[in-house]
Amino acid sequence: MKLKEIKFGILLSSLLMIVSCSDDYLDVDSRAEIDAADIGEAIPPEQMVNGIYGMLTDWDYAFSYLGITEIISDNADKGSSASDTGTDKHQLDALEHTTTGPSIRSMWEHWYKSIGRASIAINYTENFGLTDQSYRDRLIGEAKFLRALNYFWLVRSFGDVPLQHVDYVVRQPKNDVYEFIEQDLLDAIDMLPEKSEYSASDLGRATKGAARGLLAKVYMYHEKWQEAYNMATIVATDPQYNLHPNYEEIWRASQENGVESLFEVQARGESIAHGVQQYSQTQGARGTGGWGWGFNTPSQNLLNAFNAEGDVIRRDATIIFAGETLWDGRQVSAAAENPMYNEKAYSSANAGAGDGDKNVRILRYADVLLIQAEAALHIGEDAATPLNRVRNRVNLTPINSPTFNDVWKERRLELAFEHDRWFDLVRTGQAQSAMAADGKTFVVGKHELFPIPDLQLVQTPEMTQNPGW
């Protein structure tokens, strides 16, 4: 896919594929072909924005995304059967991925398509002639939040990347990409409503709190520690958000969009408008008595980390063990193909159905508290209070004078299988030692970034490659 051709391709796909089937804001028409008559309709700006959300439910997030965020890390193994490589998941698991790996290419392409949709939706909404200023601002704010989220995934994965509004081929410095993301989120904060101001039918849209929380996280990765602390503190003291008292309940249907949720991908559960397509299926127990493919399984390394901390609550809420009975009464066969599975991906109602009903949590209040704690250590503020709020929930002993390692360990155990571990290892300089402890070789100067996909470089040879690839 040539980045030079993205703008036209995204415009066409946006016009063809985001016509809504119902009043549900995420009920996006997924027909592969739309009648030509549809193209002539004046598409409401809200449906353009809905099409950006719809990108979050794509199959790529059920497979490729797992490979480059969790399977590659010390949290997870490839899983499944030894003979089922999952295309390139075995390579990612062994840190032997290449420039031609389909998982990396799929996410590169998908994130840029999503950004293209967001930019078109912003321009379309600005020029549509909406007279309700607050409604207009909200839609633009949602699109800017989603554009920022996708650029954040890109810059963490690839470093310097093209900014579409500057050039489709020339990679902009990482610092400039972060500055652009931050401005989008500052704009979104100004434009978006609070979570409590949305109607029930719009629950799950981007909010002011979601934009603040994501901006705190972006500041952390950009090492703007005072800004990260300030923004995290605003969210931490916002009465709309809190820790849900029972950690093990967070990933159940009862807590979707709950008090701990800043932003999550909304699932719908009925074809043709599916949730995150096959997210639960790809990670479900495999083999005898199973309901899924068995990929992205918890590693012995992660289990050891839970046990070393005495972290029983989060261990048992994160890991399905072969032979156990789950909270809803489902029995997991002791003869399942893998000894452990990801419980945070488990859907009680749909189990291994392809069209899933499980919301995928993108940003939680606990993450923000840990961002606040880490930033506090950098600027000499109180890190113990936010850190121990997270620990107290799962009955762990408070730490009175936490270190960076204490906070990083807490991030691992709290956020396991929430797609942050690999990026945390890289940004904190732990990747080489952590991978060595997991029996893998992390090459300094190479593995910090994924390679720009070979297909992209074939089509746009003037684009540069990352070091070591």
Side-chain angles (χ1 to χ4, degrees):
M1 177 186 63
K2 290 186 180 180
L3 285 177
K4 291 179 177 178
E5 298 171 357
I6 285 178
K7 187 172 182 180
F8 174 78
I10 294 306
L11 175 60
L12 182 60
S13 65
S14 296
L15 292 174
L16 292 180
M17 298 190 68
I18 65 174
V19 181
S20 179
C21 306
S22 74
D23 292 333
D24 186 324
Y25 85 96
L26 281 179
D27 199 359
V28 181
D29 194 330
S30 61
R31 288 178 289 165
E33 297 181 3
I34 305 292
D35 293 338
D38 291 338
I39 304 174
E41 297 176 1
I43 299 173
E46 185 168 328
Q47 292 181 28
M48 296 288 284
V49 175
N50 293 350
I52 318 167
Y53 287 102
M55 295 292 284
L56 293 169
T57 70
D58 191 84
W59 153 252
D60 287 335
Y61 287 101
F63 211 41
S64 295
Y65 187 59
L66 306 183
I68 71 166
T69 60
E70 290 291 348
I71 292 173
I72 193 173
S73 80
D74 56 350
N75 272 358
D77 297 321
K78 174 185 71 69
S80 187
S81 298
S83 61
D84 190 344
T85 64
T87 59
D88 61 345
K89 305 304 179 294
H90 62 309
Q91 294 175 329
L92 289 161
D93 191 21
L95 277 182
E96 295 174 352
H97 48 291
T98 69
T99 61
T100 59
S103 294
I104 296 168
R105 183 181 70 244
S106 292
M107 297 318 303
W108 166 271
E109 293 178 354
H110 195 86
W111 287 330
Y112 268 114
K113 287 179 182 178
S114 300
I115 289 164
R117 283 197 179 195
S119 296
I120 288 170
I122 292 165
N123 183 68
Y124 188 81
T125 304
E126 287 175 339
N127 295 285
F128 192 79
L130 292 175
T131 57
D132 184 334
Q133 186 68 32
S134 62
Y135 176 58
R136 175 183 178 275
D137 286 351
R138 192 203 85 191
L139 294 177
I140 295 171
E142 289 180 64
K144 288 198 170 192
F145 170 85
L146 294 168
R147 183 168 67 182
L149 177 62
N150 282 276
Y151 268 129
F152 183 47
W153 279 325
L154 273 167
V155 74
R156 289 197 301 176
S157 299
F158 298 98
D160 299 349
V161 293
L163 288 168
Q164 286 186 343
H165 68 286
V166 177
D167 193 281
Y168 288 114
V169 176
V170 177
R171 299 173 63 187
Q172 304 303 315
K174 179 174 67 173
N175 183 67
D176 292 357
V177 179
Y178 273 115
E179 294 287 352
F180 183 76
I181 294 168
E182 289 157 12
Q183 188 57 58
D184 257 359
L185 290 171
L186 289 168
D187 291 346
I189 290 168
D190 288 339
M191 293 176 160
L192 289 171
E194 300 283 2
K195 183 177 181 179
S196 59
E197 294 173 341
Y198 275 113
S199 65
S201 62
D202 283 323
L203 191 64
R205 288 185 180 275
T207 65
K208 200 178 293 289
R212 286 172 174 151
L214 182 57
L215 182 55
K217 195 164 189 170
V218 170
Y219 281 147
M220 178 177 71
Y221 274 82
H222 200 186
E223 298 184 344
K224 292 185 174 182
W225 298 111
Q226 186 67 59
E227 291 91 335
Y229 179 80
N230 292 345
M231 195 58 62
T233 300
I234 292 172
V235 178
T237 56
D238 187 335
Q240 296 178 100
Y241 302 102
N242 209 334
L243 294 173
H244 180 67
N246 297 315
Y247 182 86
E248 64 272 14
E249 293 178 353
I250 296 172
W251 291 271
R252 301 177 191 174
S254 64
Q255 289 307 308
E256 290 181 345
N257 304 306
V259 68
E260 188 155 346
S261 173
L262 273 73
F263 186 70
E264 56 194 69
V265 181
Q266 304 297 299
R268 296 154 298 191
E270 293 183 7
S271 187
I272 56 176
H274 50 254
V276 183
Q277 189 181 19
Q278 296 177 262
Y279 184 83
S280 295
Q281 184 184 58
T282 57
Q283 300 178 76
R286 183 184 180 107
T288 303
W291 56 89
W293 299 4
F295 281 93
N296 195 34
T297 57
S299 66
Q300 185 65 42
N301 185 302
L302 176 62
L303 177 59
N304 292 344
F306 279 123
N307 289 339
E309 192 66 14
D311 193 349
V312 175
I313 292 175
R314 289 188 296 204
R315 179 196 68 193
D316 292 349
T318 302
I319 301 175
I320 293 174
F321 295 94
E324 79 164 286
T325 300
L326 298 178
W327 61 271
D328 58 358
R330 186 186 300 275
Q331 292 186 339
V332 185
S333 173
E337 187 146 357
N338 311 98
M340 295 180 281
Y341 297 96
N342 175 15
E343 188 157 345
K344 290 181 179 179
Y346 173 65
S347 165
S348 180
N350 274 35
D355 287 320
D357 66 343
K358 187 176 188 68
N359 284 12
V360 177
R361 281 61 169 171
I362 300 295
L363 187 60
R364 292 195 288 119
Y365 183 76
D367 191 356
V368 175
L369 290 177
L370 295 175
I371 293 167
Q372 185 187 28
E374 185 170 342
L377 287 174
H378 280 278
I379 62 174
E381 295 286 351
D382 171 28
T385 297
L387 175 68
N388 288 326
R389 287 185 66 187
V390 176
R391 290 177 63 81
N392 290 343
R393 173 169 61 176
V394 292
N395 299 334
L396 294 179
T397 303
I399 300 174
N400 294 326
S401 299
T403 65
F404 286 111
N405 283 329
D406 291 326
V407 176
W408 297 339
K409 179 174 64 176
E410 202 67 29
R411 286 189 65 82
R412 182 186 191 184
L413 302 180
E414 174 71 25
L415 304 173
F417 287 94
E418 295 180 54
H419 309 291
D420 270 331
R421 176 62 175 170
W422 176 253
F423 302 114
D424 270 343
L425 287 175
V426 170
R427 74 173 179 86
T428 60
Q430 300 176 90
Q432 185 180 32
S433 60
M435 291 297 100
D438 202 34
K440 303 170 187 177
T441 300
F442 179 96
V443 179
V444 175
K446 175 181 180 179
H447 282 138
E448 291 89 349
L449 298 172
F450 292 115
I452 304 300
D454 183 68
L455 181 61
Q456 180 66 69
L457 297 182
V458 168
Q459 295 175 333
T460 54
E462 60 269 47
M463 186 180 292
T464 57
Q465 180 58 279
N466 275 326
W469 296 101

